Structure formats: C-alpha cells, structure tokens
C-alpha cells in the first residue's frame, strides 16, 4: 500500500534557524509548565490540600504505567508514521486505549479509595490522567505540523488557568481536570480539520486495524518501555536498600534530573519531526545528524553546569533536603546529562528517519549497562551508587551507540 501524506505543503527547505527557534520554544514550554506545576503544588500544600495532592500523585503515577502498556509506542508512531499508520493508531486509541484507561481509572481509584483517599479527588485525578493521554495525540498533531508555539501557548495557558482556579479555592484535581479538558477543546478548534479527536477522522474504526496498529508500533513500544525502565530502575532497586527518609530526599533529586532531561528531549523532538516530515514528503527539511547533537549539547551543557554549581544551594536551601549528600547526588546526575542528551539525539534521529529498530536497540543498550551498574553500585554505595550508575551507563552506552552509528552514517 503506498504511503499516504497528510496536508502536503509546497516544497520548501526549513532552515537551521527555524529548527533551532522551535527547539527553544519546545524546551521553554516544558520549563514554564514545570514552574507553573511547582507553583500549583506549593500553593496547594500551603492551603492544606494534601489529600488532593496525594490523590493526584498516586492516580497519575499508576495510570502512567497503565497508559504505556495499553498504548504501546502508538504516540510516537502517530507523530512519525504515515497517514495509514496514523489511522491505525486512531482505531487503537478509540477501541482499546481509552477503554483501557477508563478501566484503569476505576480499578486504581477503587484500590486507593479503600485506603482512605477521597473518592471525588481520585475521580477528578483520573480525568486528568485521561486528558493527559488524549493530549499526547493532540500534541503530536501540533508537532507534526511544526506548530510548537501554538502548542506551548495552549499548555502554559491551561496550567496558568489551573493556578488561578486553585487561588480561587477550587480543589487541585478539579482545577487540573477542568483546565485540561478546556485545553483539549481549544486545541481541536485551533487544529481545525487536522485534529485527532474529530469525528470525521475516526470513521472506519475496527479492532483489526487496532491490532495492526500494535504490530506497527511494536518497535516503538520497546523504545518507550526501555526509556521508562532506564528512568525508574535505579530508584526501584535503591528502594530495596535505603530507608524511607533517604528515598524521600533521593526522590526529589531524581525528579529534578528527569525534569531537566525532559527539557532536553522536548527540544530534540523538533529535529525528529522535521526528519519525519522530510521522509514522508510533507516538507523538505534535510539536516545532518550533527544538528540534533548540537541542540542536545546546547541544552544539556549549560543546564548541567549551572545545576552542578548550584547543587548545594538547590538541595539544602531551595528543596530543604535533610541529607547533606543530596547535593553530591544532584551533581553526579548532571554528569550523566550530556551523555544522555547526545544518545537521545541519535535515537530521535533514527525514529524520525523511520529506523525504529535502531532506536529500540540503542535504548536497550543503555538499559543493559544500567542494570549491571546498578546491581554493582547500589548495594555498596546506596544513593551515590544509583547516581553514579546512571552516569556510567549513559557514558558507556553512548560510546557503544556511537561506534554502531558509524555504520549507519549517511
């Protein structure tokens, strides 16, 4: 079957300056959204909405795992695939993913309701998780059309609206759910006929097509699962050896590292989408692999150096962590950041070029090295071992990836 192309545009060459500007917008949106989220949580804690925060945390965390298992790698396929593959993903989400998430909301909500969590807060947090899932497809639509500024405005406006509602006395989960649903509606209006949630785009749904969607995205599912494993494995192993108090401090540090890494990966999605658009014939946007590496280093090196230099103030003053070693943990994580950034730049390039198996093999290499490093370092050195294992794994895996990448050089 020939590849179908959505809304072709005149053949133009997107310059490096435009890609760099969009990368900055995408990264800046993540930073702004993170700061707004931190402000909302701090305000809710000050207002005594600890129950709301607890319900939001447990529901969104549990449903994140539900989402990745029921959706596979479909979001990445929806962003980078052909129009036929995107249609398969719509069948997959409508017939399997959304019903699976709804069942997950009921199951997880019932589990935590029996443990004393507020039912209303759990239900609203479930709506937030469902909206976040649907927003992934909408964000993919914006990104595929290179409309990063419009997407950034929507996301930040939604989070700012949530902050205003909390200031007016609306419970956290209700505020996030309301603003999230409004964001979905506004996004569909902005996208017009190209939105993923429109009725005319979900005709011809079938479970057979949904199954084909899972087959088409199986390599990307492996990549998504590997990325989640790399992000969580060290923390899970450490939890078997460290006390709850230590895990509290380490959790804050690893969350900060993942947030900074999220900024880098958001910037890298821009050249990835540009490569996909070029491959699919939507727009001529050829650029060398080194451009993504340059974007990665431009984001990672300044942030990593700044956070490492300020690690003492960040850990002890800003985060008020009781463990004096927390600053060292944060600084060591910053050593891992440039290696992670470059390896993800190469992986995203391969995904944009349609070489999904290469990206999956690369993240698997990181996972294998990390497993060995964590098994050796964590039992002996605890949190410092977990952070060092992350840095060693990213560095060693990158060396392997670079050696292999030379075979695939254009």
């Amino acid at each position: 079957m020939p590849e179908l192309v959505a809304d072709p545009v005149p053949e133009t060459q997107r310059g490096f300056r435009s890609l760099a500007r969009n990368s900055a917008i995408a990264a800046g949106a993540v930073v702004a959204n993170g700061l707004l989220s931190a402000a909302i949580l701090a305000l809710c804690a000050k207002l005594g909405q600890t129950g709301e925060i607890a319900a939001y945390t447990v529901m969104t965390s549990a449903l994140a795992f539900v989402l990745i298992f029921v959706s596979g790698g479909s979001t990445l396929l929806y962003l980078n695939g052909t129009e036929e593959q995107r249609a398969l993903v719509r069948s997959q989400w409508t017939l399997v993913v959304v019903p699976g998430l709804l069942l997950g909301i009921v199951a997880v909500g019932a589990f935590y309701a029996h443990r004393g969590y507020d039912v209303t807060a759990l239900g609203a947090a479930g709506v937030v998780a469902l909206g976040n899932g649907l927003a992934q497809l909408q964000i993919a639509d914006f990104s595929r059309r290179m409309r990063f500024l419009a997407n950034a405005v929507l996301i930040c406006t939604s989070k700012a609206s949530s902050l205003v509602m909390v200031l007016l006395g609306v419970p956290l989960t209700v505020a996030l759910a309301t603003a999230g649903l409004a964001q979905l509606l506004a996004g569909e209006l902005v996208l017009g006929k190209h939105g993923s949630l429109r009725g005319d785009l979900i005709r011809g749904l079938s479970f057979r097509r949904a199954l084909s969607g899972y087959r088409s995205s199986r390599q990307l599912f492996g990549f998504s699962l590997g990325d989640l494993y790399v992000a969580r494995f060290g923390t899970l192993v450490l939890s078997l050896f460290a006390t709850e108090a230590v895990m509290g401090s380490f959790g804050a540090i690893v969350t900060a590292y993942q947030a900074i890494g999220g900024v880098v990966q958001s910037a890298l999605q821009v050249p990835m989408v540009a490569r996909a658009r070029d491959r699919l014939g939507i727009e001529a946007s050829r650029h060398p692999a080194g451009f993504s590496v340059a974007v990665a280093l431009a984001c990672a090196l300044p942030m990593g150096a700044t956070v490492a230099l300020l690690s003492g103030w960040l850990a002890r003053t800003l985060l008020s962590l009781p463990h004096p070693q927390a600053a060292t943990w944060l600084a060591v994580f910053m050593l891992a950041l440039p290696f992670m950034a470059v390896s993800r730049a190469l992986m995203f390039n391969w995904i944009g070029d349609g070489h999904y198996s290469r990206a999956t093999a690369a993240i698997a290499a990181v996972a294998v090295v990390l497993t060995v490093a964590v098994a050796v370092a964590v039992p002996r050195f605890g949190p410092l071992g977990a952070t060092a294992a992350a840095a060693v794994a990213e560095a060693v895996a990158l060396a392997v990836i670079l050696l292999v990448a030379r075979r695939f050089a254009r």
Side-chain angles (χ1 to χ4, degrees):
M1 178 178 295
E3 293 186 353
L4 303 178
V5 178
D7 47 278
V9 298
E11 188 77 2
T12 58
Q13 179 70 40
R14 187 172 292 274
F16 289 175
R17 183 175 297 179
S18 175
L19 292 178
R21 181 174 60 251
N22 280 324
S23 290
I25 291 171
V30 174
V31 173
N33 188 56
L35 292 175
L36 287 169
S37 296
I40 291 172
L41 291 176
L43 177 61
C44 289
K46 185 176 181 180
L47 295 175
Q49 292 191 27
T50 54
E52 288 283 320
I53 296 174
Y56 170 76
T57 301
V58 297
M59 284 294 286
T60 54
S61 297
L63 291 172
F65 283 92
V66 173
L67 178 60
I68 196 170
F69 278 104
V70 296
S71 66
S74 59
T75 305
L76 280 172
L77 183 66
Y78 189 74
L79 177 59
N80 293 280
T82 66
E83 278 306 301
E84 174 62 23
Q85 289 172 329
R86 282 161 57 85
L88 298 179
V89 171
R90 283 192 285 270
S91 279
Q92 185 180 346
W93 272 73
T94 304
L95 300 177
V96 181
V97 178
V98 171
L101 265 178
L102 292 174
L103 288 175
I105 291 170
V106 173
V108 175
F111 178 83
Y112 285 107
H114 281 86
R115 281 152 181 77
Y117 289 78
D118 182 75
V119 175
T120 302
L122 290 171
V127 173
V128 173
L130 178 62
N132 289 342
L134 293 173
Q136 290 185 14
L137 295 186
Q138 191 175 85
I139 291 171
D141 283 324
F142 276 106
S143 299
R144 190 175 170 95
R145 296 181 61 77
M146 302 297 283
R147 300 186 65 178
F148 293 96
L149 180 58
N151 183 56
V153 170
L154 275 173
I155 292 174
C156 293
T157 300
S158 173
K159 195 56 63 72
S161 300
S162 300
L163 178 59
V164 172
M165 282 189 278
V166 170
L167 282 169
L168 294 176
V170 178
L172 169 66
T173 53
V174 175
L176 291 174
T178 302
L181 293 177
Q183 176 189 330
L184 285 175
L185 177 60
E188 290 305 302
L189 293 175
V190 172
L191 286 167
K193 65 179 182 179
H194 305 293
S196 61
L197 305 181
R198 295 179 63 86
D200 57 344
L201 291 180
I202 59 176
R203 294 173 183 169
L205 301 177
S206 71
F207 284 102
R208 182 176 180 179
R209 292 172 67 81
L211 182 60
S212 296
Y214 280 105
R215 285 197 296 266
S216 297
S217 64
R218 64 186 182 279
Q219 291 288 349
L220 290 173
F221 172 63
F223 176 83
S224 300
L225 191 59
D227 196 36
L228 181 65
Y229 178 90
V230 169
R232 304 292 184 183
F233 180 67
T235 303
L236 291 176
V237 173
L238 180 63
S239 68
L240 302 177
F241 296 90
T243 64
E244 182 179 352
V246 170
M247 287 305 301
S249 294
F250 184 82
I253 294 299
V254 76
T255 298
Y257 169 62
Q258 291 169 356
I260 295 170
V263 173
V264 176
Q265 294 199 30
S266 294
L268 291 174
Q269 283 202 359
V270 175
M272 177 186 73
V273 173
R275 296 175 84 89
R277 287 168 63 87
D278 185 86
R279 168 171 55 87
L280 297 170
I282 300 174
E283 175 189 46
S285 186
R286 302 291 290 178
H287 58 270
F291 177 79
S292 296
V293 174
V295 170
L297 293 176
C299 291
L301 289 178
M303 287 193 298
T306 301
V307 172
L309 289 172
L310 298 177
S311 58
W313 177 81
L314 291 170
R316 289 189 287 271
T317 304
L318 182 64
L319 299 176
S320 301
L321 300 179
H323 292 82
Q325 303 90 348
T328 303
W329 305 341
L330 183 57
V332 175
F333 265 134
M334 291 305 101
L335 291 177
L337 187 65
F339 300 108
M340 182 279 291
V342 174
S343 68
R344 299 312 184 271
L346 297 174
M347 294 178 203
F348 279 23
N349 279 346
W350 287 330
I351 291 174
D353 292 338
H355 303 308
Y356 304 144
S357 60
R358 295 181 190 175
T360 302
I363 197 66
V366 181
V368 169
V369 179
L370 178 68
T371 301
V372 176
V374 166
V376 171
V378 170
R380 185 172 181 180
F381 300 106
L384 182 59
T387 57
V392 170
E394 293 289 359
V396 172
L398 176 60
V400 174
I401 292 168
L402 287 173
L403 287 174
V404 175
R406 294 180 62 182
R407 298 170 48 195
F408 304 129
R410 295 180 178 180

